[in-house]
Amino acid sequence: MSRMNLNLQVERPLVLAWGVHLFTATGALWGLLAIMATVQHQWQAAFFWLGLAALVDSLDGTLARRFKVKGLLPGFDGALLDNIIDYQTYVIVPAIFLYEANLLPASATIAGIAMVVLASAFQFCQADAKTDDHTFKGFPSYWNVVVFYLFMFNANPWVNFWVITTLTILVFVPIRYLYPSRMVRFQKMTISLTFVWAILCLIVWLQYPAFQPWMLWVSLLYIVYYIGLSLYMMVR
């Protein structure tokens, strides 16, 4: 084997590792574009960039495991990069959205977004936030999904505030929520239903503001399934 071939074999995993980390890092750009769209009140664009960031987050871990990038770059922490971007796209951007879209009562807006960012900051710093059996401990800061439903349902701001308050409390309740891409039992069914849910949300997004309300309500069945299966698996 020539020295050139040997060098190529050594460098290829490193190139793949950097490629996966770069793919993860694009989430920061999508989050920034979501902020820009939000402050300009371009709601559809904001949800598009948030959705793209969530898609990257759902795929980068699988790619990292597929190409076995862990340990290839000892001076670079991919998990830390992922957490930084997740906090931006799952917490900070939704908090800004809550403020800009006036989803909370004027007198309680700061309190509402403070609960979101502070509770999530606590959760992201917990060593066991992601458990060894591939679950999330406490409400896993899906604030991007929360603001999507709050915005589309256009409910009373005080109803939204109490939804935020309830979910904030659940951050500290040690219920274990499923990690769909890494769970073992019911994985195929869960991923299939996740795909159907995503399609329904996509249609609602595309049709906004003249979407069919029944689609939004039907999509909530997936949320019920997710919570129900999480509780079932925790008890088991």
Side-chain angles (χ1 to χ4, degrees):
M1 182 181 296
S2 67
R3 178 174 296 179
M4 180 178 294
N5 288 337
L6 181 61
N7 288 339
L8 287 175
Q9 286 190 350
V10 172
E11 291 176 1
R12 184 171 178 270
L14 297 180
V15 172
L16 287 173
W18 281 118
V20 171
H21 291 318
L22 178 60
F23 178 69
T24 300
T26 63
L29 175 60
W30 314 141
L32 177 61
L33 291 173
I35 292 174
M36 294 168 65
T38 299
V39 297
Q40 294 171 12
H41 294 187
Q42 297 174 355
W43 311 124
Q44 277 186 301
F47 283 126
F48 171 79
W49 295 120
L50 278 177
L52 188 56
L55 180 62
V56 168
D57 184 51
S58 68
L59 295 175
D60 62 353
T62 301
L63 291 174
R65 291 185 291 274
R66 168 66 178 81
F67 296 114
K68 301 177 181 178
V69 304
K70 187 175 182 179
L72 289 177
L73 303 170
F76 191 90
D77 192 337
L80 179 58
L81 173 66
D82 188 62
N83 276 340
I84 291 172
I85 295 174
D86 283 354
Y87 189 75
Q88 176 198 15
T89 56
Y90 285 84
V91 182
I92 296 300
V93 180
I96 295 172
F97 197 101
L98 285 170
Y99 180 83
E100 290 291 336
N102 296 317
L103 294 179
L104 299 173
S107 61
T109 296
I110 298 302
I113 62 177
M115 287 191 290
V116 169
V117 297
L118 294 177
S120 297
F122 170 83
Q123 184 189 48
F124 270 74
C125 293
Q126 297 302 295
D128 60 347
K130 295 180 181 178
T131 64
D132 293 335
D133 58 351
H134 306 310
T135 62
F136 300 105
K137 191 182 76 171
F139 173 68
S141 295
Y142 291 146
W143 297 111
N144 51 349
V145 177
V146 174
V147 297
F148 176 80
Y149 279 105
L150 296 184
F151 181 79
M152 292 300 176
F153 275 119
N154 194 27
N156 183 288
W158 279 109
V159 172
N160 295 341
F161 178 80
W162 289 113
V163 169
I164 294 294
T165 301
T166 301
L167 294 175
T168 297
I169 293 171
L170 288 175
V171 168
F172 302 95
V173 178
I175 296 174
R176 296 191 174 193
Y177 297 84
L178 299 178
Y179 195 153
S181 64
R182 301 203 67 184
M183 60 189 291
V184 177
R185 295 187 65 193
F186 308 110
Q187 185 187 57
K188 289 184 179 180
M189 180 171 67
T190 301
I191 290 179
S192 297
L193 291 175
T194 302
F195 180 75
V196 172
W197 169 79
I199 293 297
L200 287 171
C201 291
L202 178 62
I203 294 173
V204 168
W205 170 75
L206 288 171
Q207 293 181 340
Y208 174 82
F211 62 87
Q212 300 296 320
W214 67 265
M215 286 191 173
L216 199 60
W217 285 103
V218 169
S219 71
L220 283 176
L221 294 176
Y222 172 77
I223 307 298
V224 174
Y225 164 83
Y226 177 83
I227 296 173
L229 185 58
S230 296
L231 293 173
Y232 171 76
M233 295 296 288
M234 185 178 70
V235 172
R236 288 294 299 270

